[in-house]
Amino acid sequence: MDLVRGSRQAAAARAIPATAAVVLLLFFLSVSQHCAAQEHWVGSWAAAQQLMEPDNRLPPENLEDSTLRQVVHLSIGGNILRIHISNAFGTVPLHLTSVHVARAQSTAESAIDPATDKLVTFSGRSDATIPPGAEYWSDPVALDVPALSDVAISIHYDHAPAGQTGHPGSRATSYYMHGNAVSTRTLPNAHTVERWYQLSEVDVGASDGSKAVVAIGDSITDGHGTTTNGNDRWTDILARRFQLSPCTADIGVLNAGIGGNRVLLDQLGPNALARFDRDVLARPGVSFLILLEGVNDLGMLTRDGEVSAARHQALVQELIGAYQQIVERAHARGVVVIGGTLSPYGNSNYYHPGPLSEDDRQALNTWIRTPGHFDAVVDFDKLLADPSHPAQMLSAYDSGDHLHPSLAGYRAMAQAVPLTLFANCAEQAHPK
């Protein structure tokens, strides 16, 4: 009886038409894609999103039937990736007619390696409609991207976004032109802009032990004064240091800095507490957080004139309360929190800090350094301050505005972060 049944099944299998074989093949491909979707995803690059101010928006007519190509610099690598597209501050649904990703041939031009060009799909579709306030993850894309490599993401819009979401402090060149050119090697006669739009993250499929560290902060973390297309923010340099050691080479570095950002109140971008879930906790693989923010809160208190000592004291307590909130919310998700002391900004031409503002900064730094408040501390204040004038930045690390570090200052900041905070391995002898 079994022999007869087996004979009939074999005959039936031989009789499967070619179309059925194609269906089976598609089924197994679907299963394969589903398995790929079960990758251990870790963020490799990120940008904090905000509503673009008028000076940072592209004129709507420039994005009508247009291709926008943006280049991002990854930290860790992999052979599969996915892209996060954000409409967090959009007021209407955002329709993307086509998205492609490829290896960039340079950080300073629009050219891609056409052999690596891949269509990006969303739930199997080549287009996507993202509701206002939402963010979409793409389907997995099989693409070999080494650590510290550059990826170009090309988006075609049929209509311009209403309420442009993006990141003004890209320090990277983006390219746009009319027409659908998402897979074109170069964008001839493209217009350029130093902004990112709609891109919030690139994840890679990584080993199970891979993790990510998020740095949340203001313009110092965002990279004010760094080189356009140079990827020389302190977080970029930290990512390069991670790659020097096998103990940290699987740790992604995600920059969640926003220039002009504040901890307590909205200024440029939502305040740090308001954006904390989206910019920190929602990042795949996040296991560490470096918090370096508060100078703008201190500076704005007295930018238009001195206030009472009581108001100074109240602000310090409000900032400490906010830091405690961040630590507690991070710990609830198992995230290790590293506090960064606030760097000196004496003689700043923008904030003109007085003695009471310096007292505020010192009080906050004392609290940050006190054991038990953070899991670890990186003393950026001690690193950057002039020993002879502690309220001021050391001239060798000063960009010239007495508020932001120079390139040498950013390098020093990255080298001051102990790798042993992130892995049980010996520190590299000569970090770069």
Side-chain angles (χ1 to χ4, degrees), residues 171-368:
R171 277 90 200 181
T173 306
S174 299
Y175 308 85
Y176 62 96
M177 59 176 288
H178 288 296
N180 190 339
V182 290
S183 59
T184 303
R185 180 181 176 274
T186 61
L187 302 184
N189 303 316
H191 300 281
T192 61
V193 62
E194 289 184 24
R195 307 282 186 270
W196 284 315
Y197 299 90
Q198 268 79 56
L199 288 183
S200 70
E201 189 170 321
V202 177
D203 304 330
V204 296
S207 62
D208 288 343
S210 297
K211 303 173 182 177
V213 52
V214 178
I216 189 169
D218 48 38
S219 56
I220 293 176
T221 295
D222 201 23
H224 178 92
T226 56
T227 311
T228 299
N229 300 317
N231 296 306
D232 44 16
R233 309 164 190 82
W234 71 264
T235 54
D236 297 317
I237 301 166
L238 179 62
R240 292 199 287 272
R241 286 190 63 210
F242 279 170
Q243 291 303 310
L244 294 176
S245 170
C247 295
T248 53
D250 60 353
I251 298 178
V253 179
L254 306 179
N255 189 313
I258 293 179
N261 198 234
R262 296 163 74 176
V263 176
L264 298 171
L265 297 174
D266 293 355
Q267 186 170 331
L268 293 179
N271 66 78
L273 285 175
R275 66 189 183 94
F276 186 72
D277 285 2
R278 179 176 63 244
D279 288 344
V280 178
L281 297 184
R283 303 299 188 186
V286 58
S287 296
F288 305 96
L289 166 66
I290 301 176
L291 170 64
L292 176 58
E293 189 158 3
V295 165
N296 290 323
D297 295 79
L298 298 181
M300 289 300 295
L301 179 68
T302 59
R303 187 166 185 265
D304 296 328
E306 189 54 85
V307 299
S308 68
R311 187 67 194 94
H312 279 274
Q313 294 170 6
L315 177 62
V316 169
Q317 292 306 310
E318 289 165 7
L319 283 168
I320 288 173
Y323 292 160
Q324 290 173 320
Q325 287 287 315
I326 287 172
V327 171
E328 290 177 9
R329 287 163 65 179
H331 282 174
R333 294 284 295 274
V335 175
V336 173
V337 189
I338 301 161
T341 53
L342 303 181
S343 55
Y345 64 106
N347 291 338
S348 162
N349 294 326
Y350 187 75
Y351 284 136
H352 310 287
L356 290 179
S357 292
E358 175 60 12
D359 289 346
D360 296 344
R361 190 181 71 89
Q362 292 293 348
L364 286 172
N365 283 345
T366 297
W367 189 88
I368 291 169

Side-chain angles (χ1 to χ4, degrees), residues 3-15:
L3 289 175
V4 173
R5 185 183 298 113
S7 174
R8 288 174 178 171
Q9 289 173 342
R14 289 193 296 270

Side-chain angles (χ1 to χ4, degrees), residues 59-134:
E61 59 270 19
N62 289 358
L63 288 179
E64 288 288 325
D65 180 27
S66 291
T67 296
L68 174 65
R69 178 168 292 172
Q70 305 174 90
V71 179
V72 302
H73 187 67
L74 303 183
S75 52
I76 57 173
N79 56 18
I80 187 169
L81 59 78
R82 69 181 181 188
I83 296 165
H84 297 214
I85 306 290
S86 179
N87 193 28
F89 297 91
T91 56
V92 300
L94 172 67
H95 184 228
L96 311 176
T97 60
S98 184
V99 180
H100 275 234
V101 62
R103 293 278 302 277
Q105 291 194 333
S106 167
T107 60
E109 61 177 353
S110 68
I112 61 170
D113 177 359
T116 65
D117 179 63
K118 297 292 182 71
L119 170 69
V120 179
T121 60
F122 300 83
S123 300
R125 296 176 56 89
S126 60
D127 71 331
T129 301
I130 305 174

Side-chain angles (χ1 to χ4, degrees), residues 365-398:
N365 283 345
T366 297
W367 189 88
I368 291 169
R369 293 185 183 106
T370 301
H373 292 158
F374 287 94
D375 299 306
V377 174
V378 179
D379 204 336
F380 294 122
D381 172 38
K382 183 178 180 180
L383 170 75
L384 297 172
D386 183 340
S388 301
H389 305 281
Q392 301 173 25
M393 200 175 296
L394 190 69
S395 60
Y397 293 153
D398 191 341

